[in-house]
Amino acid sequence: MVSSLLIALAASSYAAAQSFVSDPLIDKVVPYTAIPYQVDHHTADRGPQAGYNICNSTTEGQTSMCQTAYVNHLDDFCLFAPPKEATIGETEGIEVAWCTKPGRGTRLIPEGTFTGLQLVKSPGYIQIVGFIDQTKLNIPDGDYGGELDSGGQDGRGNPIGGLVYSNDLPGSTGNDSFVQSRHWTFFIGGDQFCLKVCDSTNPEAGHLCEHIYDRIGCAYNAPNTAQNNVFEACEGEDMMPVGTYVENGQTLTWTQPPEGVAPTPPYTPTPASSSNCVTYSSNALFSQLATVGISGSQAAPTSGATGAAGASGSGARLGVSGTSSADGAASTNGANAMGVSLIAGISGVVFSALFFA
Ligand SMILES: *[C@@H]1O[C@H](CO)[C@@H](O)[C@H](O)[C@H]1NC(C)=O
Ligand SMILES: *[C@@H]1O[C@H](CO)[C@@H](O)[C@H](O)[C@H]1NC(C)=O
């Protein structure tokens, strides 16, 4: 009784606080050659866009407020992370782009941030999953983070006005040809991240990069076989749309319950099949990051580089399945040692629900 009342109150205050804009970010077609200074022009509720979308040599560096990101290749992508040390929940609307390559007006990801990465390119999207030292990205040790995406509670995106481009989605004609992804989703926290940028011309883009499963983390939103201490790029099939699963030959859809009700998906996600994986050494991938220092505003890292994700050892998989009892069932995918990282992932999204409510 008491708890359902609290839920009702929370839901109504949430609805009253932020109205959904009439021009959501997901509908804004912004050619790479016509990026405006800021793509978001709203000021009400959450305030104006914190950074900008035109990024160049004058904005480049560790104080950049660039909010235009790229997801190209294993050696060439960006994450969104806080501009100064704070949790993802506190800064979801104002995250900025941190990238692996200089020359695009953004911050650079400090050397040693990644301890394992897996990129899977499928017909419908590019997915990258990684193990990170999140303290190098202004995210406090122990923050289990949450979801950022091109939707958001008011349609303005998280970060507000965040744009994402790729030179490896359909429509690109080469490395200098960038196409916009309007459907993307990104979880970061618990020393892990997963991102998926969907081909906006694909009719399934909205389902493959679904925005409504923000409390069930990478395991469900980006099922994968990433391993700590391995850097690899693969090809793969498209996953089943987030939330869907097959039971007794029928495709069923599970929907995340409202805030305040624990999300308990009735299925264990299975990574889509992947092939042609090529492994790399991180030194070869990220030689240009060698000189990037830790940004001035953040505290020194307090613990080992790998944290929760690394604690389960080099065989750890990132959030492949929902419960440890599912290990056996998932082991055909090599997913047999993901207990610790999974707990981080699930508690992460539960923690984040408090901030995101
Ligand atoms: C460089 O980026 C800044 C920030 O968006 C912008 O104000 C400035 O006009 C840009 N400069 C050029 C030459 O485009
Ligand atoms: C495009 O970039 C990728 C990696 O960033 C690189 O491997 C590839 O050689 C580049 N292609 C061309 C044509 O330069």
Side-chain angles (χ1 to χ4, degrees):
M1 183 64 179
V2 170
S3 65
S4 61
L5 178 63
L6 287 175
I7 293 160
L9 286 172
S12 62
S13 64
Y14 169 79
Q18 279 150 10
S19 52
F20 203 85
V21 295
S22 59
D23 59 341
L25 182 62
I26 207 162
D27 290 339
K28 291 188 179 174
V29 176
V30 184
Y32 189 66
T33 49
I35 295 177
Y37 176 67
Q38 290 177 322
V39 74
D40 183 283
H41 301 291
H42 297 280
T43 54
D45 296 334
R46 295 205 286 160
Q49 181 174 348
Y52 38 77
N53 298 108
I54 293 180
C55 312
N56 52 42
S57 57
T58 68
T59 68
E60 180 141 343
Q62 299 312 81
T63 58
S64 177
M65 290 298 288
C66 178
Q67 295 178 307
T68 299
Y70 300 80
V71 176
N72 299 326
H73 298 280
L74 189 64
D75 65 344
D76 184 4
F77 65 95
C78 307
L79 306 176
F80 284 117
K84 57 184 179 11
E85 190 184 9
T87 65
I88 295 295
E90 289 165 332
T91 53
E92 58 172 350
I94 64 167
E95 312 292 354
V96 296
W98 298 65
C99 304
T100 66
K101 291 264 193 218
R104 299 194 183 116
T106 68
R107 299 181 190 217
L108 289 178
I109 293 171
E111 185 184 32
T113 299
F114 301 122
T115 60
L117 286 175
Q118 181 189 57
L119 179 148
V120 175
K121 187 178 178 199
S122 80
Y125 53 79
I126 301 169
Q127 171 177 294
I128 306 180
V129 175
F131 295 83
I132 56 174
D133 174 359
Q134 67 186 24
T135 64
K136 289 187 158 58
L137 299 171
N138 282 342
I139 306 171
D141 198 20
D143 175 29
Y144 291 102
E147 182 181 8
L148 307 171
D149 58 50
S150 50
Q153 53 273 60
D154 50 10
R156 299 172 67 192
N158 280 311
I160 292 169
L163 292 179
V164 175
Y165 292 86
S166 176
N167 65 13
D168 206 26
L169 284 176
S172 168
T173 55
N175 280 357
D176 293 328
S177 164
F178 295 98
V179 297
Q180 183 192 11
S181 170
R182 290 183 289 113
H183 298 89
W184 52 268
T185 177
F186 175 47
F187 289 78
I188 189 167
D191 278 334
Q192 307 170 2
F193 78 89
C194 57
L195 66 82
K196 200 158 44 168
V197 297
C198 283
D199 167 16
S200 297
T201 66
N202 184 316
E204 284 297 296
H207 295 303
L208 293 170
C209 283
E210 190 59 85
H211 290 164
I212 60 172
Y213 293 94
D214 61 332
R215 292 154 63 210
I216 54 172
C218 293
Y220 287 84
N221 285 276
N224 66 85
T225 56
Q227 303 171 72
N228 203 7
N229 302 313
V230 173
F231 293 78
E232 63 180 3
C234 309
E235 293 164 17
E237 303 296 317
D238 286 340
M239 66 180 289
M240 288 187 67
V242 186
T244 63
Y245 61 103
V246 176
E247 194 174 271
N248 299 328
Q250 271 194 299
T251 300
L252 304 174
T253 301
W254 174 80
T255 307
Q256 180 180 285
E259 300 291 344
V261 180
T264 51
Y267 68 101
T268 299
T270 307
S273 68
S274 56
S275 58
N276 297 331
C277 294
V278 178
T279 58
Y280 299 84
S281 85
S282 66
N283 290 346
L285 290 172
F286 302 117
S287 56
Q288 286 165 298
L289 300 180
T291 58
V292 180
I294 293 169
S295 83
S297 58
Q298 75 169 52
T302 52
S303 61
T306 51
S312 49
S314 61
R317 305 282 175 151
L318 260 189
V320 172
S321 64
T323 66
S324 56
S325 64
D327 285 353
S331 65
T332 50
N333 302 304
N336 54 8
M338 36 54 68
V340 172
S341 61
L342 177 72
I343 290 163
I346 292 291
S347 61
V349 294
V350 171
F351 270 74
S352 70
L354 300 174
F355 294 110
F356 283 57

